[in-house]
Amino acid sequence: MTGRRDGSLMRNSGHSLRGSRIAVAIAIGVALGCAFAFLYPHGLFVSIPAIHAHRTAKSTVEVGSSSCESSERVNMWKLEFVAVSEKNAELKRQIRELTDKLQLAEQGKDNAQKRVLVLGEQHKAGPFGTVKSLRTNPTVIPDDSVNPRLTKILEKIAISKELIVALANSNVKDMLDVWFTGIKRVGIPNYLVIALDEDIAKFCQSKDVPVYKRDPDEGIDSIARTGGNHAVSGLKFRILREFLQLGYSVLLSDVDIVYLQNPFDHLYRDSDVESMTDGHNNMTAYGYNDVFDEPSMGWARYAHTMRIWVYNSGFFYIRPTIPSIELLDRVAGRLSREPNSWDQAVFNEELFFPSHPGYEGLHATRRTMDFFLFMNSKVLFKTVRKDANLSKVKPVVVHVNYHPDKLPRMKAVVEYYVNGQRDVLNPFPDGSDW
């Protein structure tokens, strides 16, 4: 019994083992079938053309989808490009406008537009009789880098950014003495002598006179050392430029001038250039209508012309503006190209000649000084000394520009107005002896 039971048990165990193996095999088969079904949905033995057709169809769908997306992106990029291009064009237009405005402001051309830029706004015209145009141009921005040494000197001497400046070499030493003695007597502190040679520099230092000796410049120094009155006078237009670039207004003075009052108390400062006149009465000093008669023209024989006597380039007040600097450049340039030209003639031509074909005139404002206050020697010797009322008026300065015997007449002017010697002018003729 025991043996049968053991045998039966063993048989049952063998059947169980085989059943388990079969179950495992079936499970593995089912798993593999599912795997192949998933990986090869169209069967393991489908023909190659079928597979290729399927892949081609799928690829076509993907390409079509990509093409649609690419077209949309291209259109979007085009729109963005157009927008950016329009904005870029607008920025370029603004840059051009700003560049044009900057050039106008820097070059001083087209004064009307430049003044609008400076003021920042335009104005409507007011009622009849109330409109008044601008006369005072804006000053330049000071540039201390132009001449740092001169900048330090001017900071100590100038008052309200203005001063008297004179050029001198040893040829005018005696007149220079009378010149700065008069300035000291009046009590004018803001003046400076530009020494054109070492002798004048030492002379001014010995007299406690503010002096400035320029750095060596052969183009200027050769004229400065040996040049006569007119040659030296022509140098001032080149030398004054630095003063204006540094932002200072200059009252340029020749040394054949006697100071009797402080000229800064009698300036208007409303123009680029404020100058003494060579005129001797209201007509010649301030302008007049001169009628030219040409009888051969019959009915049209009379032609009206406008005339004014020239400004004196030996005494003028000049403000640091673009037109003022352009004036100095023009005059200095012409004098270098036209060595036989007279600086005063060139100075006036550049100030007064209007624009015309082939020539662009200077857009500078100008004012004529009162010829009884800022007096030339023709006014004094031909008119004032002979008039009891006019002789009582003390001028601001007397410029001995009409007479070659400058030094004795300068000393006589001092005696006449300062020391009260009323007959000291009598020995001198109205004009000169030659």
Side-chain angles (χ1 to χ4, degrees):
M1 293 294 293
T2 301
R4 284 199 294 270
R5 280 198 300 271
D6 290 340
S8 175
L9 182 60
M10 290 176 67
R11 284 195 296 271
N12 292 336
S13 298
H15 290 300
S16 297
L17 182 59
R18 281 196 299 273
S20 297
R21 289 175 179 174
I22 292 170
V24 169
I26 292 171
I28 290 173
V30 171
L32 289 173
C34 291
F36 277 100
F38 179 80
L39 294 174
Y40 301 96
H42 301 289
L44 184 60
F45 300 102
V46 176
S47 64
I48 297 302
I51 296 175
H52 180 71
H54 170 71
R55 290 179 177 175
T56 301
K58 182 177 181 180
S59 176
T60 301
V61 172
E62 291 176 354
V63 170
S65 177
S66 297
S67 298
C68 292
E69 292 178 0
S70 298
S71 298
E72 292 176 357
R73 290 181 180 177
V74 168
N75 291 334
M76 182 175 66
W77 290 341
K78 285 182 178 179
L79 292 175
E80 291 178 355
F81 179 79
V82 171
V84 171
S85 297
E86 291 176 351
K87 182 177 288 186
N88 187 47
E90 176 63 17
L91 290 174
K92 286 183 177 180
R93 185 186 65 78
Q94 293 178 4
I95 290 173
R96 284 196 302 269
E97 290 180 354
L98 291 174
T99 301
D100 292 340
K101 290 178 179 179
L102 181 60
Q103 289 176 347
L104 290 174
E106 289 179 346
Q107 296 175 7
K109 294 180 178 179
D110 191 357
N111 274 2
Q113 182 64 25
K114 182 185 68 177
R115 287 167 178 170
V116 170
L117 294 175
V118 172
L119 297 176
E121 59 178 340
Q122 292 176 291
H123 301 277
K124 294 181 179 180
F128 179 82
T130 65
V131 176
K132 194 173 184 179
S133 63
L134 293 174
R135 285 160 176 76
T136 308
N137 285 314
T139 57
V140 299
I141 299 174
D143 184 3
D144 295 345
S145 65
V146 170
N147 191 330
R149 184 165 70 89
L150 179 59
T151 298
K152 293 180 180 179
I153 295 174
L154 297 181
E155 288 175 348
K156 296 178 182 178
I157 295 175
I159 296 176
S160 300
K161 302 285 283 188
E162 55 187 15
L163 73 161
I164 301 170
V165 173
L167 281 68
N169 62 11
S170 297
N171 294 333
V172 295
K173 185 175 181 179
D174 292 336
M175 285 192 292
L176 178 64
D177 193 2
V178 178
W179 181 84
F180 64 65
T181 299
I183 287 178
K184 288 182 176 182
R185 181 175 54 249
V186 173
I188 304 170
N190 49 329
Y191 70 102
L192 180 68
V193 174
I194 300 177
L196 299 177
D197 56 44
E198 193 61 35
D199 183 50
I200 287 295
K202 292 179 180 179
F203 176 65
C204 289
Q205 291 169 354
S206 68
K207 298 291 185 177
D208 196 26
V209 171
V211 63
Y212 167 65
K213 182 74 165 56
R214 300 182 71 257
D215 294 332
D217 184 333
E218 186 57 32
I220 293 178
D221 294 343
S222 59
I223 300 175
R225 287 190 297 267
T226 60
N229 189 44
H230 282 176
V232 171
S233 182
L235 292 177
K236 59 176 169 268
F237 298 100
R238 292 178 59 182
I239 296 175
L240 283 183
R241 193 184 205 278
E242 289 185 342
F243 288 79
L244 269 59
Q245 285 182 278
L246 296 175
Y248 289 85
S249 296
V250 174
L251 181 57
L252 188 281
S253 174
D254 283 351
V255 295
D256 57 344
I257 294 176
V258 177
Y259 284 77
L260 301 169
Q261 298 186 58
N262 190 331
F264 293 110
D265 295 336
H266 301 272
L267 297 176
Y268 285 82
R269 301 176 177 85
D270 62 348
S271 304
D272 296 311
V273 177
E274 193 169 343
S275 180
M276 171 183 280
T277 176
D278 271 2
H280 60 94
N281 54 31
N282 285 339
M283 290 176 57
T284 56
Y286 308 137
Y288 63 101
N289 179 15
D290 184 31
V291 181
F292 177 76
D293 185 8
E294 189 176 4
S296 63
M297 288 297 294
W299 177 81
R301 64 181 292 179
Y302 300 111
H304 292 258
T305 68
M306 301 305 299
R307 295 191 62 186
I308 185 171
W309 285 30
V310 296
Y311 282 177
N312 191 291
S313 63
F315 191 86
F316 60 87
Y317 178 81
I318 186 167
R319 297 176 60 249
T321 66
I322 289 295
S324 295
I325 295 174
E326 184 182 357
L327 170 65
L328 298 180
D329 289 350
R330 285 184 178 218
V331 176
R334 281 190 56 186
L335 292 176
S336 65
R337 296 189 303 271
E338 307 166 13
N340 295 325
S341 297
W342 180 28
D343 68 283
Q344 180 160 295
V346 175
F347 175 71
N348 279 272
E349 288 171 2
E350 294 299 334
L351 260 180
F352 285 93
F353 280 0
S355 298
H356 55 262
Y359 176 79
E360 183 178 355
L362 179 71
H363 298 283
T365 55
R366 54 193 180 271
R367 170 182 281 274
T368 306
M369 291 177 171
D370 186 324
F371 69 91
F372 281 125
L373 293 180
F374 297 91
M375 189 182 298
N376 61 59
S377 56
K378 181 175 183 177
V379 174
L380 174 61
F381 286 95
K382 188 176 180 180
T383 304
V384 170
R385 68 171 176 169
K386 302 173 183 178
D387 189 294
N389 292 322
L390 291 176
S391 61
K392 295 177 183 178
V393 179
K394 180 187 286 189
V396 177
V397 300
V398 174
H399 188 180
V400 187
N401 60 315
Y402 268 99
H403 301 88
D405 51 339
K406 295 179 181 297
L407 185 59
R409 289 188 186 245
M410 288 178 70
K411 292 180 178 179
V413 169
V414 174
E415 294 298 324
Y416 184 81
Y417 283 108
V418 177
N419 299 326
Q421 297 186 24
R422 310 308 293 179
D423 58 349
V424 70
L425 301 180
N426 295 342
F428 294 96
D430 290 354
S432 61
D433 293 331
W434 52 275

